């Protein structure tokens, strides 16, 4: 029973990180309609920046916040500086956009190695969250519980933003009907930039949160990229809340598939995605 | 070779007084004519092991510099290097091309075990000497293993743990799922009954695993006295961090029977590494003049102590160069013959003999222990050597029964 | 149109003759291996509009079949190539069915997922594939032509690979120029319209996928012949990405584009990587440049040169 509990909590906590990243990805997907192949790079940069700033400032929290903010800014620069030139509707346009994003991801890996070295980085959890806490029959690391709670709070805040503010309403409208928003005299480019920034911010936050959990290495971007896409496909492309549930689901799936074989975690995720693509292509929770 | 020892020590003393520090290769009689040889260093400069590759290359180049300083007039070394990118296919391709163009007499490296297996096969086919550190690999006429046999290392590490904690009899094994891990685990199971150890559980994890939380539950449930981490490098760091976050490193004693040395300690916070026992083929505080000199110069140059990658890079290259320098005619066959039975008391790790039958090196293995935070006296003073084994194994204990 | 055809055919012949003089034999064979894989990819992307991110699956399957058979049985070169082609073709057909109703990013993800499953099988099925250490322990086959046997030393292997390349290029180019090729390009532009006019789009998809898989399988077999080892990395996502990038680099629409791309990529990566380990940074920048200014890749750049000079 204790084993089951620990595994469940593990699945929920790593699932929470997946959910957060996928949530960010869905913003970008829903708003700009681009599958962001550089999403993993944003995760990695957010994490590494949090590491350096946190170490320099002596506070994990400052690292977390500034890492995510700087990454959001970088994301906006990427979108406005490069990506917007590549939007188009021809058959080749999307493919080449994906190529460019993937190239950015590869370049980011190299930049990370150049700045932070190839060995990877990690940090201990902040003192307030170090150690384990007794939850019924088991001891469970405090930081992992924090990740779950933090993700829930962040998602709640994001929901409030989208559903209850004017900006959020504009974003929702722009997703449904871009022309209508233009008629209102709103500069849609600002909305695009904002959405990308939000998506990048959330992902970078996930990266910073994973620093004490799994540590970072230059290739973490690729791993996260694949998982994020598995999650959004399973949840339903463009479905914000589907992404959350799918993230948790995939986290739990990976955790429990180690019962079968230590290697089984990632093929299980791929098989889940393939099953969804074959039998319910709009995702478990449907599109938007 | 040992006939030169006395002369070598005199020369060494002289050199030391001259401020050169202790260098190997001193004491070699001069030859009239300068020979030439090409050595191919293959290392992962990109890819998942890029950080290690950089350090291996530093070690290789330092050994070369030391050699040129002392014995460069006897032998001109053309050192070429190729990046394996941590990938077998890329490595073999680049080695094949380098071999076609440059005809090296020996290959030093690589780092990753699967690449090493392929390189060894290549070396056997093309008849070039392959000197490496790690394994396990099938032995043949041309390959030479610098690291001590796993038999010796695992034994030494286990004995050190048993000696320190004789009552800690329930052991749990977490093993990485590839040849290295299987070999180490098999040896542990073999030695356990003799040492009075009961293995209460074991799990395997995939090489390069990043998320170790799934394994912690079972370990916790087994309530072992000792948790053994049969993995290496980043896997060790990651699994230990996770175990720490689950409170396991505080509840049980920790053993890493075959680790990287200072790198392991540098990757972990002293809060995690205090008291853990890590066995390693090289540690930078080894107490002999060559090691001290190399470590000092390395720290000065690179602002970090040399770990296993740098140490093995240096030592393997040192062995090749020393053997080459004494040859009249440079060829892989003559080098292989020279290496069989090669002995020196002045290697990086101390006294070493390359066994002629099995092409394994008999040399010391070091068991280290992490210092508590209040014992640490400097940035790199994270652990101490608590035991040194002589690396010898009983006859017939090695897999390689005889070179083909 | 036929002037261009002649130029392309002459081009490939000249290339095959000159290559072994410009680079060492093993590098030359490696270039051919990836050129074939890149051609197979460009058939999918350039001519049918399908961005497959899982070509490594077929490469690996072809290589593993070859290695396994060579290790346990006595077979000569051509039957092995054919068997590898069949393996690649069958797995590609499976992927075609899996992706039948998928488009855009969903298509890409499914191909990636399949390739990653192949990677998983390669890693775990140790008895057949050798697991993480790869498949080793086999010798190069002889080329048996019925009336005589030729051993495939490094020079002969190049000549053999060049002949295989010629055959494959011929098939590829003939397809591109044929009405089927036209239909494929129509499929790329607007599949629904083509379907509405009566073309069996689904069958064309399966056909092009299968052919691409067969070609890539052959490339895998050649790779096994050349290196006498099948590393598990042949099935990795990295390998798929390399193939994609090589093709884009050279130009997916021009017939010789993939060949040029493979040559430039492999040759440059070996040279530049010995000077600067971080060279993928440059490469990524170049890909972005291509996406912005030169979508036809190097082939487009080369074709534009005459115009550049003509203006002056």
């Amino acid at each position: 029973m204790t084993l089951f509990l620990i595994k469940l909590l593990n699945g929920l906590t790593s699932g929470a990180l997946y959910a957060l990243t996928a949530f960010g990805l869905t913003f970008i997907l829903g708003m700009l309609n681009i599958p962001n192949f550089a999403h993993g790079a944003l995760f990695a940069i957010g994490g590494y920046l949090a590491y350096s700033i946190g170490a320099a400032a002596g506070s994990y929290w400052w690292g977390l916040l500034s890492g995510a903010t700087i990454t959001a800014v970088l994301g906006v620069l990427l979108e406005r500086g490069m990506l917007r030139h590549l939007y188009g509707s021809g058959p080749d346009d999307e493919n080449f956009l994906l190529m460019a994003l993937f190239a950015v991801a590869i370049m980011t890996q190299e930049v990370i190695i150049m700045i932070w070295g190839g060995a990877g980085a990690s940090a201990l959890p902040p003192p307030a969250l170090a150690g384990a806490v007794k939850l019924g029959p088991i001891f469970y690391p405090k930081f992992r519980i924090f990740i779950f709670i933090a993700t829930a709070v962040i998602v709640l805040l994001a929901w409030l933003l989208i559903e209850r503010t004017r900006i959020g309403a504009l974003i929702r409208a722009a997703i449904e009907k871009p022309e209508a928003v233009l008629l209102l005299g709103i500069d849609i480019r600002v909305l695009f930039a904002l959405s990308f920034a939000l998506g990048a911010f959330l992902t970078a936050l996930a990266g910073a949160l994973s620093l004490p959990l799994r540590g970072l290495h230059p290739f973490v971007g690729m791993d996260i990229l694949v998982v994020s896409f598995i999650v959004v496909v399973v949840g339903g492309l463009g479905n914000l809340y589907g992404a959350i549930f799918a993230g948790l689901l995939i986290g739990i799936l990976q955790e429990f598939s180690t019962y079968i074989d230590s290697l089984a975690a990632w093929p299980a995720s791929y098989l889940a995605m393939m099953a969804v693509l074959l039998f319910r292509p709009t995702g478990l929770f449907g599109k938007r | 070779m040992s006939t030169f020892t006395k002369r070598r020590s005199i020369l060494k003393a002289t050199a030391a007084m001259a401020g050169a520090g202790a260098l190997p290769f001193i004491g070699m009689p001069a030859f009239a004519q300068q020979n030439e040889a090409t050595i191919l260093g293959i290392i992962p400069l990109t890819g998942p092991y890029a950080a290690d590759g950089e350090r291996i290359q530093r070690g290789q180049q330092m050994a070369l510099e030391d050699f040129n300083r002392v014995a460069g007039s006897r032998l001109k070394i053309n050192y070429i290097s190729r990046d394996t990118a941590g990938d077998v296919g890329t490595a073999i391709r680049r080695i094949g091309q380098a071999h076609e163009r440059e005809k090296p007499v020996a290959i030093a490296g690589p780092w990753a075990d699967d690449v090493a297996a392929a390189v060894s096969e290549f070396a056997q086919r093309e008849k070039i000497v392959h000197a490496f550190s790690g394994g396990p690999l099938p032995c043949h006429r041309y390959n030479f293993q610098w690291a001590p046999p796993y038999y010796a290392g695992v034994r030494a590490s286990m004995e050190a743990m048993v000696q320190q904690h004789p009552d800690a009899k329930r052991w749990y094994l977490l093993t990485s799922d590839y040849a290295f891990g299987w070999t180490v685990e098999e040896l542990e199971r073999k030695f356990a009954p003799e040492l009075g150890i009961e293995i209460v559980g074991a799990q395997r994890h995939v090489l390069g695993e990043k998320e170790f939380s799934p394994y912690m539950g079972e370990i916790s449930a087994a309530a072992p006295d000792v948790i053994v981490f049969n993995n290496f490098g980043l896997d060790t760091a990651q699994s230990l961090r996770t175990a720490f976050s689950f409170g396991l490193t505080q509840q049980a004693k920790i053993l890493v029977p075959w680790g990287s040395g200072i790198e392991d300690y540098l990757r972990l916070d002293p809060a995690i590494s205090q008291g853990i026992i890590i066995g390693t083929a090289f540690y930078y505080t080894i107490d002999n003049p060559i090691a001290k000199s190399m470590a000092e110069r390395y720290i000065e140059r690179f602002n970090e102590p040399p770990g296993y990658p740098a140490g093995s890079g240096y030592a393997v290259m040192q062995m090749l160069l020393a053997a080459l320098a004494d040859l009249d005619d440079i060829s892989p066959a003559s080098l292989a013959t020279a290496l069989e039975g090669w002995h020196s008391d002045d290697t990086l790790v101390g006294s070493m003999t390359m066994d002629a039958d099995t092409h394994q090196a008999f040399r010391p293995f070091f068991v280290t222990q992490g210092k508590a935070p209040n014992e640490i006296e400097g940035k790199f003073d994270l652990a101490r050597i608590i035991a040194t084994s002589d690396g010898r194994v009983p006859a017939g204990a090695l897999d390689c029964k005889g070179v083909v | 149109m036929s002037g261009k055809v002649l130029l392309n055919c002459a081009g490939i012949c000249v290339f095959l003759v000159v290559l072994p003089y410009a680079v060492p034999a093993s590098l030359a064979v490696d270039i051919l291996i990836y050129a074939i894989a890149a051609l197979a990819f460009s058939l999918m992307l350039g001519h049918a509009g399908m961005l497959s991110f899982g070509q490594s699956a077929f490469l690996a399957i072809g290589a593993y079949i070859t290695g396994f058979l060579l290790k346990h049985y006595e077979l000569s070169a051509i039957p092995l190539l054919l068997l590898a082609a069949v393996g690649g073709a069958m797995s590609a057909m499976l992927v075609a069915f899996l992706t039948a109703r998928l488009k855009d990013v969903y298509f890409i993800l499914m191909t990636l997922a399949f390739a990653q499953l192949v990677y998983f099988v390669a890693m775990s099925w140790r008895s057949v594939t050798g697991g993480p250490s790869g498949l080793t322990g086999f010798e190069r086959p002889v080329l048996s032509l019925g009336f005589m046997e030729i051993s495939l030393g490094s020079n002969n292997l190049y000549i053999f690979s060049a002949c295989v390349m010629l055959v494959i290029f011929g098939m590829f180019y003939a397809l591109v120029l044929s009405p089927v090729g036209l239909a494929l390009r129509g499929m790329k532009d607007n599949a629904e319209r083509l379907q509405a006019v009566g073309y069996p789009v689904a069958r064309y998809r399966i056909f092009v996928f299968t052919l691409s898989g067969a070609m890539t399988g052959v490339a895998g077999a050649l790779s096994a012949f050349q290196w006498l080892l099948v590393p598990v990395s042949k099935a990795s996502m990295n390998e798929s990405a390399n193939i994609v990038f090589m093709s884009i680099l050279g130009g997916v629409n021009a017939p010789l584009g993939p060949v040029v791309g493979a040559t430039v990529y492999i040759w440059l990566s070996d040279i530049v990587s010995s000077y600067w380990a971080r060279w993928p940074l440059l490469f990524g920048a170049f890909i972005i440049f291509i996406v912005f200014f030169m979508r036809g890749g190097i082939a487009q750049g080369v074709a534009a040169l005459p115009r550049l000079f003509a203006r002056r």
Side-chain angles (χ1 to χ4, degrees):
Chain A
M1 184 54 193
T2 56
L3 193 57
F4 177 81
L5 256 178
I6 291 184
K7 277 183 138 28
L8 184 64
L9 285 170
N10 286 342
L12 286 174
T13 49
S14 37
L17 279 182
Y18 295 156
L20 193 56
T21 304
F23 197 57
L25 181 61
T26 307
F27 262 109
I28 299 174
L29 259 173
M31 186 62 182
L32 297 99
N33 211 20
I34 34 173
N36 182 13
F37 272 15
H39 207 64
L42 295 169
F43 179 96
I45 290 280
Y48 270 99
L49 283 173
Y51 166 73
S52 288
I53 298 177
S59 156
Y60 175 74
W61 306 109
W62 276 119
L64 188 72
L65 225 54
S66 22
T69 314
I70 298 178
T71 309
V73 171
L74 289 174
V76 172
L77 287 174
L78 178 70
E79 197 268 327
R80 287 284 98 205
M82 182 172 99
L83 297 179
R84 68 176 169 113
H85 299 289
L86 297 174
Y87 298 153
S89 48
D92 279 336
D93 285 325
E94 177 162 314
N95 286 333
F96 277 103
L97 176 62
L98 292 176
M99 280 293 104
L101 282 166
F102 199 68
V104 168
I106 303 236
M107 289 170 73
T108 308
Q109 267 173 213
E110 296 300 314
V111 169
I112 288 177
I113 296 183
M114 277 165 56
I115 301 180
W116 284 281
S122 85
L124 282 181
L129 292 170
V133 76
K134 195 146 175 38
L135 283 178
I138 55 167
F139 272 101
Y140 202 69
K142 281 192 213 161
F143 191 76
R144 286 181 181 257
I145 299 176
F146 165 72
I147 287 184
F148 188 77
I149 299 177
T151 306
V153 167
I154 293 169
V155 170
L156 189 66
L157 288 174
W159 179 85
L160 280 172
L161 179 78
I162 301 170
E163 300 290 335
R164 293 275 181 269
T165 68
R166 184 156 183 275
I167 289 273
L170 283 173
I171 290 179
R172 268 181 292 136
I175 293 177
E176 305 276 341
K177 235 181 180 54
E179 313 87 55
V181 174
L182 280 170
L183 284 174
L184 284 171
I186 309 283
D187 191 344
I188 201 151
R189 298 177 304 175
V190 173
L191 283 180
F192 278 1
L194 211 62
S195 302
F196 204 96
L198 198 56
F201 185 83
L202 291 170
T203 302
L205 216 57
L209 285 172
S210 78
L211 183 65
L213 191 76
R214 299 186 185 195
L216 296 170
H217 56 100
F219 307 102
V220 73
M222 280 305 159
D223 299 338
I224 285 292
L225 179 67
V226 175
V227 170
S228 313
F229 271 95
I230 291 180
V231 169
V232 297
V233 166
V234 168
L237 233 63
N239 186 327
L240 279 171
Y241 307 108
I244 306 287
F245 285 114
L248 293 173
L249 206 65
I250 295 287
I252 294 179
L253 177 68
Q254 284 194 339
E255 181 74 28
F256 281 96
S257 52
T258 55
Y259 269 135
I260 306 174
D261 185 83
S262 61
L263 269 182
W266 42 277
S269 322
Y270 282 113
L271 283 169
M273 179 173 82
M274 286 170 84
V276 167
L277 282 174
L278 285 173
F279 303 116
R280 226 189 129 94
T282 52
L284 288 180
F285 303 100
K287 200 168 172 131
R288 301 201 191 156
Chain B
M1 294 294 159
S2 35
T3 53
F4 291 123
T5 311
K6 197 168 180 191
R7 182 160 172 233
R8 206 181 275 139
S9 356
I10 297 174
L11 279 173
K12 233 194 299 175
T14 322
M17 287 192 295
L23 294 172
F25 316 117
I26 298 182
M28 295 176 163
F31 272 4
Q33 173 217 23
Q34 189 191 50
N35 272 326
E36 257 195 65
T38 303
I39 298 187
L40 170 60
I42 42 162
I43 35 213
L45 291 171
T46 57
Y49 304 113
D52 293 331
E54 193 187 333
R55 287 160 178 82
I56 300 172
Q57 186 159 58
R58 286 178 190 164
Q60 288 185 342
Q61 279 167 339
M62 262 182 90
L64 191 55
E65 281 161 23
D66 288 351
F67 179 79
N68 284 335
R69 218 181 308 173
V70 176
S73 54
R74 303 159 49 84
L75 178 61
K76 177 165 177 311
I77 294 289
N78 175 24
Y79 169 74
I80 53 177
S81 74
R82 290 289 181 272
D83 174 16
T84 66
D87 171 62
V88 189
T90 311
I92 292 296
R93 202 180 79 219
R94 290 186 178 157
I95 296 172
Q97 284 144 23
H99 174 64
E100 259 173 81
R101 254 186 280 223
E102 315 269 356
K103 304 265 179 285
V105 67
I107 300 179
W111 183 240
D113 286 344
D114 55 345
V115 182
V119 172
S120 230
E121 222 172 280
F122 177 86
Q124 186 178 24
R125 240 185 358 247
E126 304 292 335
K127 302 197 181 9
I128 354 173
V129 167
H130 176 210
F132 63 98
S133 169
L137 289 185
C139 53
H140 59 74
R141 168 111 174 78
Y142 287 94
N143 67 0
F144 297 88
Q145 157 76 281
W146 173 81
Y150 283 129
Y151 188 107
V154 173
R155 181 96 197 184
S157 299
M158 286 173 84
E159 280 176 357
M161 174 62 81
V162 168
Q163 208 181 50
Q164 233 190 49
H165 305 283
D167 294 325
K169 294 204 180 303
R170 296 163 45 85
W171 288 31
Y172 195 102
L173 312 178
L174 181 63
T175 308
S176 79
D177 200 9
Y178 72 121
F180 161 79
W182 309 330
T183 309
V184 174
E185 186 181 334
E186 205 184 299
L187 285 165
E188 282 161 358
R189 290 185 184 276
K190 183 172 145 141
F191 298 142
E194 281 177 60
L195 298 170
I197 295 166
E198 182 200 344
I199 296 184
V200 299
Q203 284 185 84
R204 294 246 173 106
H205 71 80
V206 70
L207 175 64
E209 179 69 82
K210 292 287 173 274
E211 181 57 78
F212 281 94
S213 51
Y215 307 95
M216 299 297 135
E218 258 193 58
I219 300 180
S220 185
D225 301 316
V226 175
I227 311 177
V228 185
F229 289 82
N230 294 327
N231 50 26
F232 188 86
L234 294 175
D235 289 354
T236 306
Q238 192 63 7
S239 47
L240 280 172
R241 276 186 216 123
T242 311
F244 176 78
S245 77
F246 276 80
L248 292 169
T249 58
Q250 297 89 317
Q251 294 165 23
K253 308 278 172 272
I254 307 293
L255 177 64
V256 181
W258 191 285
S260 195
I262 187 64
E263 268 109 6
D264 292 328
Y265 294 109
L266 283 172
R267 280 188 201 119
L268 299 167
D269 194 273
I272 305 179
S273 62
Q274 60 177 328
I276 61 177
I277 294 183
I278 301 183
T280 173
F282 175 78
Y283 196 71
Y284 81 103
T285 62
I286 294 173
D287 195 7
N288 75 51
I290 310 279
K292 282 187 142 62
S293 156
M294 184 266 189
E296 253 173 54
R297 285 177 290 137
Y298 188 98
I299 293 178
E300 216 186 287
R301 242 165 108 169
F302 302 111
N303 206 23
E304 63 177 34
Y308 184 22
S312 69
Y314 186 96
V316 168
M317 187 61 92
Q318 175 197 7
M319 178 178 79
L320 284 173
L321 294 171
L324 278 171
D326 279 333
L327 292 178
D328 281 331
D329 106 83
I330 307 278
S331 76
S334 58
L335 178 59
T337 310
L339 282 170
E340 282 172 346
W342 187 81
H343 173 84
S344 167
D345 288 318
D346 299 314
T347 73
L348 194 66
V349 293
S351 184
M352 169 176 147
T353 308
M354 181 60 76
D355 183 53
D357 284 325
T358 59
H359 288 201
Q360 301 281 302
F362 292 137
R363 25 91 8 131
F365 181 83
F366 309 94
V367 185
T368 65
Q369 186 163 41
K371 290 189 175 181
N374 55 12
E375 296 176 294
I376 292 175
E377 284 171 20
K379 194 161 59 154
F380 305 129
D381 180 35
L382 301 170
R384 60 168 69 86
I385 297 178
I386 58 172
T388 305
S389 93
D390 65 7
R392 295 231 162 231
V393 298
L398 292 172
D399 277 331
C400 180
K401 300 290 178 241
V403 156
V404 169
Chain C
M1 176 66 173
S2 63
K4 224 183 186 184
V5 172
L6 269 172
L7 202 64
N8 278 321
C9 291
I12 189 83
C13 295
V14 168
F15 171 78
L16 288 173
V17 168
V18 170
L19 188 65
Y21 294 103
V23 296
S26 53
L27 186 57
V29 174
D30 223 36
I31 288 178
L32 288 188
I33 291 171
Y34 282 100
I36 295 177
L39 270 176
F41 173 81
S42 74
L43 191 63
M44 298 262 299
L45 180 63
H47 299 277
M50 308 197 273
L51 176 54
S52 158
F53 224 83
Q55 297 296 93
S56 63
F58 316 129
L59 192 69
I61 288 175
Y64 276 120
I65 288 180
T66 307
F68 184 79
L69 290 174
L70 272 174
K71 191 167 175 165
H72 299 279
Y73 303 102
E74 285 247 352
L75 282 165
S76 73
I78 297 186
L80 284 167
L81 279 187
L82 292 173
L83 284 168
V86 167
M90 281 173 33
S91 32
M93 223 189 298
L94 177 58
V95 183
F97 282 119
L98 287 173
T99 58
R101 287 179 293 160
L102 301 177
K103 284 193 314 199
D104 306 325
V105 73
Y106 296 106
F107 175 86
I108 298 172
L109 288 173
M110 180 61 101
T111 60
L112 178 68
F114 181 80
Q116 290 291 84
L117 287 180
V118 170
Y119 182 71
F120 170 71
V121 170
M123 285 277 265
S124 353
W125 202 8
R126 273 184 213 120
S127 50
V128 166
T129 66
S133 320
L135 185 60
T136 56
F138 53 93
E139 301 284 318
R140 216 170 262 176
V142 291
L143 173 60
S144 157
L145 293 173
F147 49 91
M148 68 176 186
E149 284 197 350
I150 308 176
S151 81
L152 290 173
S154 41
N155 289 330
N156 285 348
L157 183 59
Y158 176 77
I159 299 176
F160 177 66
S161 309
C163 295
V164 172
M165 167 63 141
L166 214 53
V167 168
I168 289 191
F169 185 80
M171 279 172 27
F172 166 84
Y173 204 19
L175 179 68
V176 162
L177 295 173
S178 74
V180 180
L182 203 61
L184 288 176
R185 285 189 288 285
M187 201 169 90
K188 170 175 151 179
D189 282 329
N190 196 328
E192 285 116 19
R193 197 188 299 159
L194 207 66
Q195 176 93 47
V197 181
Y199 278 83
V201 169
R203 255 182 264 166
Y204 279 122
R205 282 186 73 146
I206 298 176
F207 170 69
V208 77
F209 233 128
T210 310
L211 188 58
S212 177
M215 285 166 66
T216 314
V218 169
L222 285 176
S223 153
F225 290 173
Q226 163 72 335
W227 300 114
L228 300 180
L229 123 102
V230 184
V232 77
S233 59
K234 277 271 169 293
S236 69
M237 185 164 90
N238 202 37
E239 200 76 358
S240 292
N242 283 343
I243 295 176
V244 171
F245 281 132
M246 277 184 228
S247 313
I248 305 256
L249 182 68
V252 283
N253 294 311
L256 283 180
V259 179
V260 170
T263 310
V264 171
Y265 182 82
I266 293 182
W267 183 65
L268 267 186
S269 75
D270 274 1
I271 294 184
V272 182
S273 71
S274 52
Y275 290 115
W276 194 36
R278 307 271 76 83
W279 79 277
L281 195 63
L282 282 177
F283 185 71
F286 194 61
I287 291 284
I288 296 180
F289 174 82
I290 287 184
V291 167
F292 270 90
F293 303 117
M294 216 161 72
R295 290 203 175 172
I298 296 181
Q300 178 189 350
V302 166
L305 279 177
R307 258 176 281 147
L308 205 67
F309 287 118
R311 250 186 291 158
R312 287 171 215 274

